[in-house]
């Protein structure tokens, strides 16, 4: 009976310790993503149609400067704010605005970043994330044969 009690006690202690580590990891990631505004620094797409060769495109290279300098802020209340940066595509647009119905959240043990706005939800797989870079990837398959993999790299806008 004592052995069972000891095993139960040990299991409870391990559970408490692992929960605390999970909470600390989530808190750290939330602190990192909300500490700065982020600016896109690379955007690539690879498209595969059936058995054909994969085509690749550097989407960052063709982005307008007025879009490249935009900054996204992941707010601590899980809303999203966009700042137009130094160059605005529309001079009459506000410099900064809250994304309508914009929400962000970490999902699946912080391996995914989910972004939602009025147009829908996008789930990005987090490939790498630290205080100097956020690299995310999404895959979309259409018509069961066309798969596009988009990889985006963000850097703190300091």
């Amino acid at each position: 009976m004592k052995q069972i009690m000891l095993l139960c006690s040990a299991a409870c202690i391990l559970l408490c310790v692992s929960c605390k580590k999970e909470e600390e990891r989530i808190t750290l990631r939330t602190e990192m993503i909300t500490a700065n505004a982020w600016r896109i620094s690379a955007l690539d797409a690879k498209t595969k149609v059936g058995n054909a060769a994969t085509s690749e495109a550097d989407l960052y290279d063709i982005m307008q400067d007025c879009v490249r300098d935009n900054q996204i802020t992941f707010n601590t209340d899980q809303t999203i704010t966009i700042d137009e940066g130094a160059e605005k595509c529309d001079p009459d647009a506000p410099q900064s605005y809250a994304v309508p119905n914009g929400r962000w959240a970490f999902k699946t043990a912080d391996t995914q970043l989910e972004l939602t706005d009025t147009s829908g939800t996008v789930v990005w797989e987090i490939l790498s994330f630290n205080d100097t870079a956020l690299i995310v990837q999404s895959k979309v398959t259409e018509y069961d044969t066309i798969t596009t993999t988009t990889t985006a790299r963000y850097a703190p806008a300091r």
Side-chain angles (χ1 to χ4, degrees), residues 97-115:
Y97 60 92
V99 174
N101 297 321
R103 305 288 297 165
W104 70 271
F106 288 117
K107 297 291 184 182
T108 316
D110 291 354
T111 62
Q112 297 176 330
L113 179 61
E114 181 181 85
L115 303 175

Side-chain angles (χ1 to χ4, degrees), residues 6 9 20 23 33 37 44-46 55 69 78 84 89 91 95 97-98 102 107 119 122 128-129 134 140 144:
L6 284 173
S9 296
K20 185 174 181 180
E23 289 172 10
I33 203 165
D44 300 302
K46 295 179 182 179
S55 65
D69 73 347
Q78 293 192 303
E84 290 288 331
C89 295
Q95 182 63 41
Y97 60 92
K107 297 291 184 182
S119 64
V122 175
S128 178
F129 180 40
L134 170 62
V140 176
D144 296 327

Side-chain angles (χ1 to χ4, degrees), residues 28-38 73-76 129 131 156-158:
L28 177 61
R29 286 200 167 220
T30 299
E31 287 175 0
M32 283 193 319
I33 203 165
T34 60
N36 302 294
W38 296 82
T73 300
F74 300 98
N75 300 306
T76 56
F129 180 40
D131 59 346
R158 298 179 188 177

